[in-house]
Amino acid sequence: MKITPILFLFTLLSSTTSYASVHDFCVGDIKAPETPTGYHCMPLANITSDDFVFHGFVAGNTNNSFNAALTSAFVTDFPALNDLGISAARLDIAKGGSIPMHTHPGATELLIMVHGEITAGFLTTTAVYSKTLKPGDLMVFPQGMLHFQVNSGKGKATAFLTFSSANPGAQLLDLLLFSNNLPSELVAQTTFLDLAQVKKLKARFGGRG
């Protein structure tokens, strides 16, 4: 009788193995609803070579609050990544710009410096791991770690990013705090920021309350 739970667990794990690990690939049908394991596969008869090529990995518009742009190649942009556990992005940061504190709860991120200079790092409860990166440098941000990237050079900075998920998602701390309708008094109390500063930041990021 003791072996029964083990057999059940093995069966469960086998049944949840990704489609792409059983089949060669699973180009996602992103017009259909997403499931907990990704998108349903497009019929093989409808797939062409073009589905495995992503166009448009070019510099984005950095004229925004962060003076930065992210050009994503996630599964919603590049359906061939569906169920493969990988994706990419291009990061462009204008002089003085930054990507604020954020996390990717479901993915590890690898940054590959291409041009300029970026100071990047991630935080734990006991330490900060930060480094100034130049072309040819790589830095990894473990899954779920709060991290940032700042242009610390004299001109534009460019980096390529890869993620251990087809759809890594992101939670930006500034937007979480200041772009919603959580009352400013509560934000001030829970962050120890001055109330006037909280209201100023809410105005900048489109928050209310």
Coordinates of all heavy atoms in Angstrom, one line a residue, residues 51-128:
D51 N 6.8 31.7 -38.2 CA 6.4 31.7 -36.8 C 7.6 31.6 -35.9 O 7.5 31.9 -34.7 CB 5.5 30.5 -36.6 CG 4.1 30.6 -37.3 OD1 3.5 31.7 -37.0 OD2 3.7 29.8 -38.1
F52 N 8.8 31.1 -36.4 CA 9.9 30.9 -35.5 C 10.9 32.1 -35.6 O 12.1 32.0 -35.1 CB 10.6 29.6 -35.9 CG 9.7 28.4 -35.7 CD1 9.0 27.9 -36.8 CD2 9.5 27.9 -34.4 CE1 8.2 26.8 -36.6 CE2 8.7 26.8 -34.2 CZ 8.0 26.3 -35.3
V53 N 10.5 33.2 -36.3 CA 11.4 34.4 -36.4 C 10.6 35.6 -35.8 O 9.4 35.8 -36.1 CB 11.7 34.6 -37.9 CG1 12.6 35.9 -38.0 CG2 12.4 33.4 -38.5
F54 N 11.3 36.3 -35.0 CA 10.8 37.5 -34.4 C 11.4 38.8 -35.0 O 12.6 38.9 -35.0 CB 11.0 37.6 -32.9 CG 10.5 38.8 -32.2 CD1 9.1 39.0 -32.0 CD2 11.3 39.8 -31.8 CE1 8.6 40.1 -31.3 CE2 10.8 41.0 -31.2 CZ 9.5 41.1 -30.9
H55 N 10.6 39.7 -35.6 CA 11.0 40.9 -36.2 C 10.7 42.1 -35.2 O 9.8 42.0 -34.4 CB 10.3 41.2 -37.5 CG 10.6 40.1 -38.5 ND1 11.8 39.9 -39.2 CD2 9.8 39.1 -38.9 CE1 11.7 38.9 -40.0 NE2 10.5 38.3 -39.9
G56 N 11.5 43.1 -35.3 CA 11.2 44.3 -34.4 C 12.0 44.4 -33.1 O 11.5 45.1 -32.2
F57 N 13.1 43.7 -33.0 CA 13.9 43.8 -31.8 C 14.8 45.0 -31.9 O 16.0 45.0 -32.0 CB 14.8 42.5 -31.7 CG 15.0 42.1 -30.3 CD1 14.0 42.0 -29.4 CD2 16.3 41.7 -29.8 CE1 14.2 41.6 -28.1 CE2 16.5 41.3 -28.5 CZ 15.4 41.2 -27.6
V58 N 14.1 46.2 -31.9 CA 14.7 47.5 -32.1 C 14.5 48.4 -30.9 O 13.7 48.1 -30.0 CB 14.1 48.1 -33.4 CG1 14.4 47.3 -34.6 CG2 12.6 48.3 -33.2
A59 N 15.2 49.5 -30.9 CA 15.2 50.5 -29.8 C 13.7 51.0 -29.6 O 13.1 51.3 -30.6 CB 16.1 51.6 -30.0
G60 N 13.3 51.1 -28.4 CA 12.0 51.6 -28.1 C 12.0 53.1 -27.8 O 13.1 53.7 -27.8
N61 N 10.9 53.7 -27.6 CA 10.8 55.1 -27.3 C 11.1 55.4 -25.8 O 10.3 54.9 -24.9 CB 9.4 55.6 -27.6 CG 9.2 57.1 -27.4 OD1 10.2 57.8 -27.1 ND2 8.0 57.6 -27.6
T62 N 12.1 56.1 -25.5 CA 12.5 56.4 -24.1 C 11.9 57.7 -23.6 O 12.3 58.1 -22.5 CB 14.1 56.4 -24.0 OG1 14.6 57.4 -24.9 CG2 14.7 55.1 -24.4
N63 N 11.0 58.3 -24.3 CA 10.4 59.6 -23.9 C 9.2 59.3 -23.0 O 8.1 59.3 -23.3 CB 10.0 60.3 -25.1 CG 9.4 61.7 -24.7 OD1 9.8 62.3 -23.7 ND2 8.6 62.3 -25.6
N64 N 9.6 58.9 -21.7 CA 8.5 58.6 -20.7 C 9.1 58.9 -19.3 O 10.2 59.5 -19.2 CB 8.1 57.1 -20.8 CG 9.3 56.2 -20.8 OD1 10.1 56.2 -19.9 ND2 9.5 55.4 -21.8
S65 N 8.3 58.6 -18.3 CA 8.7 59.0 -16.9 C 10.0 58.4 -16.5 O 10.8 58.9 -15.7 CB 7.6 58.5 -16.0 OG 6.4 59.2 -16.2
F66 N 10.4 57.2 -17.1 CA 11.6 56.5 -16.7 C 12.8 56.8 -17.6 O 13.9 56.3 -17.4 CB 11.4 55.0 -16.6 CG 10.2 54.6 -15.6 CD1 9.1 54.0 -16.1 CD2 10.3 55.0 -14.3 CE1 8.1 53.6 -15.2 CE2 9.3 54.7 -13.4 CZ 8.2 54.0 -13.9
N67 N 12.5 57.4 -18.7 CA 13.5 57.6 -19.8 C 14.1 56.3 -20.2 O 15.3 56.2 -20.4 CB 14.6 58.6 -19.3 CG 14.1 60.0 -19.1 OD1 13.3 60.5 -19.9 ND2 14.6 60.6 -18.0
A68 N 13.3 55.3 -20.3 CA 13.7 54.0 -20.7 C 12.6 53.3 -21.5 O 11.4 53.6 -21.4 CB 14.0 53.2 -19.4
A69 N 13.0 52.2 -22.2 CA 12.1 51.5 -23.0 C 12.5 50.0 -23.0 O 13.7 49.7 -23.1 CB 12.1 52.0 -24.5
L70 N 11.5 49.2 -23.0 CA 11.7 47.7 -23.0 C 10.9 47.2 -24.3 O 9.7 47.4 -24.4 CB 11.1 47.0 -21.8 CG 11.4 45.5 -21.7 CD1 12.9 45.3 -21.2 CD2 10.5 44.9 -20.7
T71 N 11.7 46.6 -25.2 CA 11.1 46.0 -26.4 C 11.0 44.5 -26.1 O 12.1 43.8 -26.0 CB 11.9 46.2 -27.6 OG1 12.0 47.6 -27.8 CG2 11.2 45.6 -28.8
S72 N 9.8 43.9 -25.9 CA 9.7 42.6 -25.4 C 9.6 41.6 -26.5 O 9.0 41.9 -27.6 CB 8.5 42.4 -24.4 OG 7.3 42.7 -25.1
A73 N 10.1 40.4 -26.3 CA 9.9 39.2 -27.2 C 9.4 38.1 -26.3 O 10.1 37.1 -26.0 CB 11.1 38.8 -27.9
F74 N 8.2 38.3 -25.7 CA 7.6 37.3 -24.8 C 6.6 36.5 -25.7 O 6.4 36.7 -26.9 CB 6.8 38.0 -23.7 CG 7.7 38.9 -22.8 CD1 7.1 40.0 -22.1 CD2 9.0 38.7 -22.7 CE1 7.9 40.8 -21.3 CE2 9.9 39.5 -21.9 CZ 9.3 40.6 -21.2
V75 N 6.0 35.5 -25.1 CA 5.1 34.6 -25.8 C 4.0 35.4 -26.5 O 3.6 35.0 -27.6 CB 4.6 33.5 -24.9 CG1 3.6 34.1 -23.9 CG2 3.9 32.4 -25.8
T76 N 3.5 36.5 -25.9 CA 2.4 37.2 -26.6 C 2.9 38.0 -27.8 O 2.1 38.4 -28.6 CB 1.8 38.2 -25.5 OG1 2.9 38.9 -24.9 CG2 1.0 37.5 -24.5
D77 N 4.2 38.2 -27.9 CA 4.8 38.9 -29.0 C 5.4 37.9 -30.0 O 5.4 38.1 -31.2 CB 6.0 39.8 -28.6 CG 5.7 40.7 -27.4 OD1 4.8 41.5 -27.5 OD2 6.3 40.5 -26.3
F78 N 5.8 36.7 -29.5 CA 6.5 35.7 -30.3 C 6.0 34.3 -29.9 O 6.5 33.6 -29.0 CB 8.0 35.8 -29.9 CG 9.0 35.1 -30.8 CD1 8.6 34.4 -31.9 CD2 10.3 35.0 -30.4 CE1 9.4 33.7 -32.7 CE2 11.2 34.3 -31.2 CZ 10.8 33.6 -32.3
P79 N 4.8 33.9 -30.4 CA 4.1 32.7 -30.0 C 4.9 31.4 -30.0 O 4.6 30.5 -29.4 CB 2.9 32.7 -30.9 CG 2.7 34.1 -31.3 CD 4.0 34.7 -31.4
A80 N 6.0 31.4 -30.8 CA 6.8 30.2 -30.9 C 7.5 29.9 -29.6 O 7.9 28.7 -29.3 CB 7.9 30.3 -32.0
L81 N 7.5 30.8 -28.7 CA 8.1 30.6 -27.3 C 7.2 29.9 -26.4 O 7.7 29.4 -25.3 CB 8.5 32.0 -26.7 CG 9.5 32.8 -27.4 CD1 9.8 34.1 -26.6 CD2 10.8 32.1 -27.7
N82 N 6.0 29.7 -26.8 CA 5.0 29.0 -25.9 C 5.5 27.7 -25.4 O 6.0 26.8 -26.1 CB 3.7 28.8 -26.7 CG 2.6 28.3 -25.9 OD1 2.3 28.8 -24.8 ND2 1.9 27.2 -26.4
D83 N 5.5 27.6 -24.1 CA 5.8 26.4 -23.3 C 7.3 26.0 -23.4 O 7.7 24.9 -23.1 CB 5.0 25.2 -23.9 CG 4.6 24.2 -22.8 OD1 4.7 24.6 -21.6 OD2 4.3 23.1 -23.1
L84 N 8.2 26.9 -23.9 CA 9.6 26.6 -24.0 C 10.4 27.1 -22.8 O 11.6 26.8 -22.7 CB 10.2 27.2 -25.3 CG 9.7 26.6 -26.6 CD1 10.3 27.2 -27.8 CD2 9.9 25.0 -26.6
G85 N 9.8 27.9 -21.9 CA 10.5 28.4 -20.7 C 11.6 29.4 -21.0 O 12.6 29.4 -20.2
I86 N 11.4 30.2 -22.0 CA 12.5 31.2 -22.4 C 11.8 32.4 -23.1 O 10.8 32.2 -23.8 CB 13.6 30.6 -23.2 CG1 14.8 31.5 -23.3 CG2 13.1 30.2 -24.6 CD1 16.0 30.9 -24.0
S87 N 12.4 33.6 -22.9 CA 11.9 34.8 -23.6 C 13.1 35.8 -23.6 O 14.1 35.5 -23.0 CB 10.6 35.3 -23.1 OG 10.8 35.7 -21.7
A88 N 12.9 36.9 -24.3 CA 13.9 37.9 -24.4 C 13.3 39.3 -24.4 O 12.1 39.5 -24.6 CB 14.8 37.6 -25.6
A89 N 14.2 40.3 -24.2 CA 13.7 41.7 -24.3 C 15.0 42.5 -24.6 O 16.1 42.1 -24.4 CB 13.1 42.2 -23.0
R90 N 14.7 43.7 -25.2 CA 15.8 44.7 -25.5 C 15.5 45.9 -24.5 O 14.4 46.4 -24.5 CB 15.8 45.1 -26.9 CG 16.7 46.3 -27.2 CD 16.8 46.7 -28.6 NE 17.5 48.0 -28.7 CZ 18.3 48.3 -29.8 NH1 18.4 47.5 -30.8 NH2 18.9 49.4 -29.8
L91 N 16.5 46.3 -23.8 CA 16.4 47.4 -22.9 C 17.2 48.6 -23.4 O 18.4 48.5 -23.7 CB 17.0 47.0 -21.5 CG 17.0 48.0 -20.4 CD1 15.6 48.5 -20.1 CD2 17.7 47.5 -19.2
D92 N 16.6 49.7 -23.5 CA 17.2 51.0 -23.9 C 16.9 52.0 -22.9 O 15.8 52.2 -22.5 CB 16.7 51.5 -25.3 CG 17.1 50.5 -26.4 OD1 18.2 50.7 -26.9 OD2 16.3 49.7 -26.9
I93 N 18.0 52.6 -22.3 CA 17.9 53.6 -21.3 C 18.6 54.9 -21.7 O 19.8 54.8 -22.0 CB 18.4 53.1 -19.9 CG1 17.9 51.7 -19.6 CG2 18.1 54.1 -18.8 CD1 18.5 51.2 -18.3
A94 N 17.9 56.0 -21.8 CA 18.5 57.2 -22.2 C 19.3 57.8 -21.0 O 19.2 57.3 -19.9 CB 17.4 58.3 -22.5
K95 N 20.2 58.7 -21.3 CA 21.0 59.3 -20.3 C 20.2 59.8 -19.1 O 19.2 60.5 -19.2 CB 21.8 60.5 -20.8 CG 22.7 61.2 -19.9 CD 23.5 62.3 -20.5 CE 24.4 63.0 -19.5 NZ 25.2 64.1 -20.1
G96 N 20.6 59.4 -17.9 CA 19.8 59.7 -16.7 C 18.6 58.9 -16.4 O 17.9 59.1 -15.4
G97 N 18.3 58.0 -17.3 CA 17.1 57.1 -17.1 C 17.3 55.9 -16.2 O 18.5 55.6 -15.8
S98 N 16.3 55.2 -15.9 CA 16.4 54.0 -15.1 C 15.2 53.1 -15.2 O 14.1 53.5 -15.7 CB 16.5 54.4 -13.6 OG 15.3 55.0 -13.2
I99 N 15.4 51.9 -14.9 CA 14.3 50.9 -14.7 C 14.2 50.8 -13.1 O 15.1 50.3 -12.5 CB 14.6 49.5 -15.3 CG1 14.8 49.7 -16.8 CG2 13.5 48.6 -15.0 CD1 13.6 50.1 -17.6
P100 N 13.0 51.2 -12.6 CA 12.9 51.3 -11.1 C 12.9 49.9 -10.5 O 12.8 48.9 -11.2 CB 11.6 52.0 -10.9 CG 10.8 51.8 -12.1 CD 11.8 51.7 -13.2
M101 N 12.9 49.8 -9.2 CA 12.8 48.6 -8.5 C 11.6 47.7 -9.0 O 10.5 48.2 -9.0 CB 12.6 48.8 -7.0 CG 13.8 49.5 -6.3 SD 15.2 48.4 -6.2 CE 16.4 49.4 -5.3
H102 N 11.9 46.5 -9.3 CA 10.8 45.6 -9.8 C 11.2 44.2 -9.5 O 12.4 43.8 -9.2 CB 10.5 45.9 -11.2 CG 11.6 45.5 -12.2 ND1 12.8 46.3 -12.3 CD2 11.8 44.5 -13.0 CE1 13.6 45.8 -13.2 NE2 13.1 44.6 -13.6
T103 N 10.2 43.3 -9.7 CA 10.5 41.9 -9.6 C 9.9 41.1 -10.8 O 8.9 41.6 -11.4 CB 9.9 41.3 -8.3 OG1 8.5 41.3 -8.4 CG2 10.4 42.0 -7.1
H104 N 10.4 39.9 -11.0 CA 9.8 39.0 -12.0 C 9.5 37.7 -11.1 O 10.4 36.9 -10.9 CB 10.7 38.6 -13.1 CG 11.2 39.8 -13.9 ND1 10.3 40.6 -14.7 CD2 12.4 40.4 -14.0 CE1 11.0 41.6 -15.2 NE2 12.2 41.5 -14.8
P105 N 8.3 37.6 -10.6 CA 8.0 36.5 -9.6 C 8.2 35.1 -10.2 O 8.5 34.2 -9.5 CB 6.5 36.7 -9.3 CG 6.3 38.2 -9.5 CD 7.1 38.5 -10.7
G106 N 8.1 35.0 -11.6 CA 8.2 33.6 -12.1 C 9.3 33.4 -13.0 O 9.4 32.4 -13.8
A107 N 10.4 34.3 -13.0 CA 11.5 34.1 -13.9 C 12.8 34.7 -13.4 O 12.8 35.7 -12.7 CB 11.2 34.7 -15.3
T108 N 13.9 34.0 -13.7 CA 15.2 34.5 -13.5 C 15.6 35.4 -14.7 O 15.2 35.0 -15.9 CB 16.2 33.4 -13.3 OG1 16.0 32.8 -12.1 CG2 17.7 33.9 -13.4
E109 N 16.3 36.5 -14.5 CA 16.6 37.4 -15.6 C 18.1 37.4 -15.8 O 18.9 37.5 -14.8 CB 16.1 38.8 -15.3 CG 16.6 39.8 -16.3 CD 16.1 41.2 -16.0 OE1 15.1 41.4 -15.2 OE2 16.7 42.2 -16.4
L110 N 18.6 37.4 -17.1 CA 20.0 37.5 -17.4 C 20.1 38.7 -18.3 O 19.5 38.9 -19.3 CB 20.5 36.3 -18.2 CG 22.0 36.3 -18.6 CD1 22.9 36.2 -17.3 CD2 22.3 35.2 -19.5
L111 N 21.0 39.7 -17.8 CA 21.2 40.9 -18.6 C 22.5 40.8 -19.3 O 23.6 40.5 -18.7 CB 21.2 42.1 -17.6 CG 21.4 43.5 -18.2 CD1 20.7 44.6 -17.4 CD2 22.9 43.9 -18.3
I112 N 22.5 41.2 -20.6 CA 23.8 41.2 -21.4 C 24.0 42.6 -21.9 O 23.2 43.1 -22.7 CB 23.6 40.2 -22.6 CG1 23.1 38.8 -22.1 CG2 24.9 40.1 -23.4 CD1 22.6 37.9 -23.2
M113 N 25.1 43.2 -21.5 CA 25.4 44.6 -21.8 C 25.9 44.6 -23.3 O 26.7 43.9 -23.7 CB 26.4 45.2 -20.9 CG 25.9 45.7 -19.6 SD 24.7 47.1 -19.8 CE 25.7 48.3 -20.7
V114 N 25.3 45.6 -24.0 CA 25.7 45.8 -25.4 C 26.3 47.2 -25.7 O 27.3 47.3 -26.4 CB 24.4 45.7 -26.3 CG1 24.7 46.0 -27.8 CG2 23.8 44.3 -26.2
H115 N 25.8 48.2 -25.1 CA 26.3 49.6 -25.3 C 26.1 50.4 -24.1 O 25.1 50.3 -23.4 CB 25.6 50.2 -26.5 CG 26.0 51.6 -26.8 ND1 27.1 51.9 -27.5 CD2 25.3 52.8 -26.6 CE1 27.2 53.2 -27.6 NE2 26.1 53.8 -27.1
G116 N 27.1 51.3 -23.9 CA 27.0 52.3 -22.8 C 27.4 51.7 -21.4 O 28.2 50.7 -21.3
E117 N 26.7 52.2 -20.4 CA 27.0 51.8 -19.0 C 25.8 51.7 -18.2 O 25.0 52.7 -18.2 CB 28.0 52.8 -18.4 CG 28.4 52.4 -17.0 CD 29.4 53.5 -16.4 OE1 30.6 53.6 -16.9 OE2 29.0 54.3 -15.5
I118 N 25.6 50.6 -17.5 CA 24.4 50.5 -16.6 C 24.9 50.0 -15.2 O 25.7 49.1 -15.1 CB 23.4 49.4 -17.2 CG1 22.7 50.0 -18.4 CG2 22.4 49.0 -16.1 CD1 21.8 49.0 -19.1
T119 N 24.4 50.7 -14.2 CA 24.6 50.2 -12.8 C 23.3 49.4 -12.4 O 22.2 50.0 -12.5 CB 24.9 51.3 -11.8 OG1 26.1 52.0 -12.2 CG2 25.0 50.8 -10.4
A120 N 23.5 48.2 -12.1 CA 22.4 47.3 -11.8 C 22.6 46.5 -10.5 O 23.8 46.4 -10.1 CB 22.1 46.3 -13.0
G121 N 21.5 46.0 -9.9 CA 21.7 45.2 -8.7 C 20.4 44.7 -8.2 O 19.3 45.0 -8.8
F122 N 20.5 43.8 -7.3 CA 19.3 43.2 -6.6 C 19.5 43.2 -5.1 O 20.6 43.3 -4.6 CB 18.9 41.8 -7.2 CG 19.9 40.7 -6.9 CD1 19.8 39.9 -5.8 CD2 21.0 40.5 -7.8 CE1 20.7 38.9 -5.5 CE2 21.9 39.5 -7.6 CZ 21.8 38.7 -6.4
L123 N 18.4 43.1 -4.4 CA 18.4 43.2 -3.0 C 17.8 42.0 -2.3 O 16.9 41.4 -2.8 CB 17.5 44.4 -2.5 CG 18.0 45.8 -2.8 CD1 17.8 46.1 -4.3 CD2 17.2 46.9 -2.0
T124 N 18.4 41.7 -1.2 CA 17.8 40.7 -0.2 C 17.5 41.4 1.1 O 17.8 42.6 1.2 CB 18.7 39.5 0.0 OG1 19.8 39.9 0.8 CG2 19.3 38.9 -1.3
T125 N 17.0 40.8 2.1 CA 16.8 41.4 3.3 C 18.1 41.8 4.1 O 18.0 42.6 5.0 CB 15.9 40.5 4.2 OG1 16.5 39.2 4.4 CG2 14.5 40.3 3.6
T126 N 19.2 41.2 3.7 CA 20.4 41.4 4.4 C 21.6 42.0 3.6 O 22.6 42.3 4.1 CB 20.9 40.1 5.0 OG1 21.1 39.1 4.0 CG2 19.9 39.6 6.0
A127 N 21.4 42.1 2.2 CA 22.5 42.5 1.4 C 22.0 43.1 0.1 O 20.9 42.9 -0.3 CB 23.4 41.3 1.1
V128 N 22.9 43.9 -0.5 CA 22.7 44.5 -1.8 C 23.8 44.0 -2.7 O 25.0 44.1 -2.4 CB 22.7 46.0 -1.8 CG1 22.6 46.6 -3.2 CG2 21.6 46.5 -0.9

